[in-house]
Amino acid sequence: MTQLGQSGGDALVELFGRTKVVIGVVHLAPLPGAPRFDGEAVEAIYQRGLDDARSYLDCGCDGVIVENHGDIPFAKPDDIGPETAAYMAVISDRIRRELGKPVGINVLANAAIPALAIASAAGAGFIRVNQWANAYVANEGFVEGESGRAARYRAKLRANGIRIFADAHVKHGAHAIVADRPVEELVKDLVFFDADAIIATGQRTGHAADLSYIRMIKEAAGLPTLVGSGVTPDNANDILGIVDGVIIASALKHDGVWWNQVDPARVKAFMAGLRR
């Protein structure tokens, strides 16, 4: 039986071969089936995703997360069509094969089962799940934890090697449903439900969390912990002095805008300024 609270071993060491990591986010353009998809050639979408991944990885990042961030407004898990998983699997496989670095999957919003299907098909090493345990109210409405269904689906696929990176007190939401319980207890719920790494965030995309808040989540988790929003060249070293990794996108895009493509010069400067 594996150790309670995790699949066994340090997920960052197993995936990346190190204990301090930088993971870039590949924000895919709107995919077919999404409201903002305008008929762009699928190959162009794939190429943009591959170019962004290459900009991160060739300039020193340790891995990437492929995310359907262009599919705004996001749907709830059961309303996400199979086409999303299909297109994401193709680009994720291309990134892994061509660039040879660890790849993670995040399907918005909170679609852990499609993410596991993509990861299994594409050979990705981990998925990010915004609400793994408990529940909250998000832009998409009431969002429940996916751990029970997702863990069983992962076992069905014989894909237990795919690691779970779970957000704590996830951004873009209200937590009044569980407000009678301390955040530390909510973090421990993620551990109890077999998350492999914990992600602390601010209140929204690009928003930096307070360092004391990050420290509290790290101490409560007892697992590899990353910060998943608001990381910049100015605060990255302070953050990495507390946690084990950062997930970054907006600060490394042209003009610092999340929907722009990745700027290799920004990535190089960011990585050069880190003390790991």
Side-chain angles (χ1 to χ4, degrees):
M1 182 176 178
T2 56
Q3 180 181 344
L4 182 66
Q6 59 181 316
S7 299
D10 184 313
L12 298 187
V13 173
E14 291 178 0
L15 288 166
F16 303 97
R18 59 187 304 156
T19 57
K20 293 279 186 179
V21 300
V22 176
I23 303 172
V25 183
V26 176
H27 289 141
L28 296 176
L31 298 171
R36 296 188 183 186
F37 176 67
D38 61 2
E40 182 180 8
V42 174
E43 283 298 326
I45 296 173
Y46 293 158
Q47 188 60 53
R48 171 174 171 154
L50 186 58
D51 289 345
D52 276 352
R54 181 174 286 109
S55 293
Y56 285 126
L57 298 176
D58 285 357
C59 297
C61 291
D62 300 294
V64 295
I65 296 176
V66 179
E67 185 176 277
N68 61 325
H69 212 315
D71 288 357
I72 300 169
F74 305 125
K76 296 174 75 170
D78 291 340
D79 296 326
I80 294 172
E83 68 280 356
T84 300
Y87 292 116
M88 290 185 69
V90 171
I91 181 56
S92 300
D93 180 67
R94 290 190 184 183
I95 290 170
R96 181 186 60 82
R97 289 177 183 273
E98 293 197 27
L99 301 177
K101 292 288 185 70
V103 175
I105 308 295
N106 187 21
V107 183
L108 300 167
N110 208 52
I113 288 176
L116 284 167
I118 296 163
S120 179
F126 65 102
I127 67 170
R128 179 178 182 176
V129 184
N130 300 121
Q131 191 72 21
W132 183 244
N134 296 306
Y136 76 122
V137 180
N139 304 136
E140 300 80 32
F142 184 65
V143 179
E144 295 183 78
E146 285 282 87
S147 56
R149 292 199 309 156
R152 285 161 176 78
Y153 182 70
R154 182 176 63 171
K156 180 180 178 180
L157 294 180
R158 300 294 190 268
N160 285 332
I162 298 172
R163 299 307 193 189
I164 307 298
F165 285 34
D167 283 59
H169 220 232
V170 61
K171 61 188 176 184
H172 295 294
H175 301 272
I177 299 168
V178 291
D180 60 330
R181 300 180 63 224
V183 175
E184 295 93 328
E185 288 299 315
L186 302 179
V187 172
K188 292 180 187 299
D189 291 343
L190 302 175
V191 179
F192 184 65
F193 276 12
D194 288 346
D196 297 292
I198 307 300
I199 301 172
T201 70
Q203 295 298 312
R204 61 190 178 278
T205 300
H207 178 254
D210 181 82
L211 292 180
S212 61
Y213 173 79
I214 294 168
R215 186 175 291 106
M216 176 267 292
I217 288 179
K218 169 65 176 174
E219 292 173 354
L223 289 176
T225 303
L226 304 93
V227 167
S229 72
V231 179
T232 69
D234 294 330
N235 65 18
N237 282 310
D238 290 336
I239 290 171
L240 282 170
I242 299 170
V243 298
D244 308 294
V246 294
I247 299 169
I248 185 168
S250 300
L252 303 185
K253 301 294 191 74
H254 286 283
D255 300 321
V257 178
W258 75 260
W259 57 79
N260 288 341
Q261 288 205 254
V262 178
D263 182 348
R266 283 181 176 244
V267 182
K268 290 177 182 177
F270 177 80
M271 296 303 297
L274 291 185
R275 299 187 301 274
R276 286 198 285 174

